[in-house]
Structure formats: C-alpha cells, structure tokens
C-alpha cells in the first residue's frame, strides 16, 4: 500500500517552454500532497504543500507564478514549471500523506528529472 | 533557524562490518523524526518514524534510535544491497531533510 507515482520520469525541454509533472496516489486518497526539489548531492527542499480543493502553500523563496500547483482531486496533484530556464533543471519529487496517518508521514513518488536546455 | 546535520557524508563498509549513521538537529517544535532510504535517481523510501526520546525501531539489519538532539541509524552486518543514501528528516510542521549519508557496502 501507499504507492505514489509520478509522470513523466524524465523530461527534456527547451528554455522558455512549460512543463507539467503529475503526481498520483494510487491506492489511497491524499488530501495533502507535497512538492520537493533536489539538486545533486543536496537535500530535498520543500517547495510547496498542496491541499485538495484549495490553493497551494509555497515555501519562502519559491515563485508561485513560476511553479503552478493544482490539486484537483484526492489522487492527483500537478506541478507546472512555467517558462522553464536551465536553472530550473533539477529532480522534482512529490509525496502524499495518507489520511489518518500520524503527524507528517509521507510516501514519496519516484521523482521526475527535468533538464532545460 | 532549523538545522539538520548528517554524518558522515559518505561511508564505505565491507560486507558484514557494522556501523552507525548520525543525524543531529536543532529544530523548534519537534513532532517526530523520519528515516528514509534513497537510491540514485529514485524518490525516498520510508524506513522509520520515531516520536519520542528513547524510542527504538528495527527493520531487518537496521535499527533507529532517538534522543533529544540526535538520532542514530545502526546498520548491523550490512550487505551490498544496503548501499544507498540514508536521509533523516525531523518533523516540525514540515519535514526538514538532512543532506544524507551515502553508504557503500562492498562484498
């Protein structure tokens, strides 16, 4: 149980284009999902917390107009990187918190490697 | 400011050579501490949650312990398949990840 998927696993795009990444909880409903970014040999940095049916909460320093998050259903959250630039190249990972879980137990997706040329 | 430090950054062990990984933290409002395993190019895989000082949890060759200021992940008689990066994450109202310990176990 508690499986989270992401699509695509890898994406390469040209500078200036937008990229959408999907995060799905496959066997549970998640009212809360999280988006992280990880640079090589660095820790996971929380970008935003996504709540179903409401606006995402962004961490300080994360541009909400650049990283659009939509949590339209209890099993799907999307992250759209708008007007991507090479500095946005990174490993993006989502996680979901099953209902009824104590505190902040999260299960992570396999990640999406974004390369912006 | 919340801080999490993991040591060592990298650890090379011979198969069967036991060792410990350290996670020290300075955070406000600690609610628990998580350990994850991350393989290259993959998302973190949940290992343990510890909620209070003195708590211990075990899973196969791994045992996690928690004190008020740090947590340890003990690896007993590791195997090559235990090679991965191990991440700790204190839980305040969000998870704050350390940079991890890259463990390599050689046969």
């Amino acid at each position: 149980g508690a499986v989270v998927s992401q699509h695509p696993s890898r994406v390469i795009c040209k500078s200036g284009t937008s990229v959408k990444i999907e995060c799905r909880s496959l066997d549970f409903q998640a009212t809360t999902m999280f988006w992280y970014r990880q640079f090589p040999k660095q820790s996971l940095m929380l970008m935003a917390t996504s709540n179903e049916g409401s606006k995402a909460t962004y961490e300080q320093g994360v541009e909400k107009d650049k990283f659009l998050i939509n949590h339209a259903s209890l099993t799907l959250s999307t992250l759209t990187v708008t007007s991507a630039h090479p500095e946005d190249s990174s490993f993006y990972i989502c996680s979901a918190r099953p209902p009824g879980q104590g505190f902040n137990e999260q299960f992570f997706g396999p990640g999406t490697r974004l390369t912006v040329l | 400011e919340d801080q999490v430090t993991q040591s060592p950054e990298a650890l090379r062990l011979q198969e069967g050579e036991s060792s410990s990984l350290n996670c020290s933290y300075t955070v406000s409002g600690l609610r628990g501490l998580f350990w994850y395993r991350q393989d290259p190019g993959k998302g973190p895989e949940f290992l343990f949650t510890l909620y209070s000082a003195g708590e211990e949890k075990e899973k196969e060759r791994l045992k996690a312990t928690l004190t008020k200021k740090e947590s340890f992940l003990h690896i007993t008689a590791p195997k090559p398949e235990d090679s991965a990066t191990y991440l700790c994450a204190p839980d305040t109202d969000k998870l704050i990840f350390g940079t991890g310990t890259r463990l390599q176990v050689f046969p």
Side-chain angles (χ1 to χ4, degrees):
Chain A
V3 178
V4 177
S5 71
Q6 277 184 248
H7 178 80
S9 57
R10 291 178 177 270
V11 57
I12 300 173
C13 69
K14 293 182 179 179
S15 186
T17 61
S18 295
V19 174
K20 180 184 284 188
I21 302 169
E22 292 187 349
C23 175
R24 295 182 184 271
S25 55
L26 298 185
D27 52 1
F28 64 96
Q29 293 184 328
T31 54
T32 304
M33 290 183 171
F34 305 85
W35 287 95
Y36 294 82
R37 183 163 62 177
Q38 186 177 32
F39 292 106
K41 297 190 177 181
Q42 294 189 24
S43 64
L44 278 76
M45 297 299 296
L46 180 65
M47 299 174 65
T49 301
S50 166
N51 292 295
E52 186 267 338
S54 64
K55 290 184 178 180
T57 302
Y58 291 81
E59 294 298 303
Q60 191 171 11
V62 177
E63 299 176 60
K64 59 182 66 177
D65 293 332
K66 181 165 191 62
F67 298 100
L68 300 179
I69 291 172
N70 184 287
H71 193 158
S73 77
L74 289 172
T75 59
L76 173 64
S77 177
T78 61
L79 168 68
T80 301
V81 183
T82 63
S83 186
H85 288 95
E87 58 266 29
D88 298 323
S89 298
S90 188
F91 192 49
Y92 292 87
I93 310 173
C94 73
S95 70
R97 185 167 64 202
Q101 287 290 334
F103 299 101
N104 220 351
E105 293 190 13
Q106 300 172 26
F107 294 90
F108 286 80
T112 296
R113 173 77 59 194
L114 170 63
T115 302
V116 184
L117 303 176
Chain B
E1 183 181 341
D2 295 334
Q3 275 196 311
V4 182
T5 302
Q6 289 190 246
S7 62
E9 289 186 12
L11 181 62
R12 293 163 58 98
L13 298 175
Q14 201 73 32
E15 184 173 3
E17 180 185 1
S18 302
S19 189
S20 295
L21 282 55
N22 176 263
C23 170
S24 62
Y25 53 87
T26 306
V27 300
S28 55
L30 181 73
R31 307 191 305 178
L33 185 135
F34 293 80
W35 280 97
Y36 288 89
R37 167 192 171 128
Q38 187 175 28
D39 292 297
K42 307 280 186 176
E45 174 189 343
F46 173 78
L47 292 174
F48 302 108
T49 310
L50 301 166
Y51 290 109
S52 58
E55 188 175 1
E56 297 183 354
K57 287 191 176 174
E58 289 188 61
K59 179 181 179 180
E60 297 182 357
R61 295 176 292 281
L62 301 176
K63 183 170 78 172
T65 62
L66 182 66
T67 71
K68 287 186 178 180
K69 292 293 184 185
E70 57 189 350
S71 179
F72 292 93
L73 184 66
H74 308 279
I75 302 179
T76 301
K79 297 182 177 181
E81 53 262 41
D82 294 323
S83 298
T85 296
Y86 291 85
L87 303 168
C88 73
D91 177 18
T92 56
D93 62 346
K94 61 185 179 183
L95 297 185
I96 303 168
F97 281 88
T99 52
T101 293
R102 293 189 306 279
L103 173 66
Q104 289 181 297
V105 182
F106 294 91

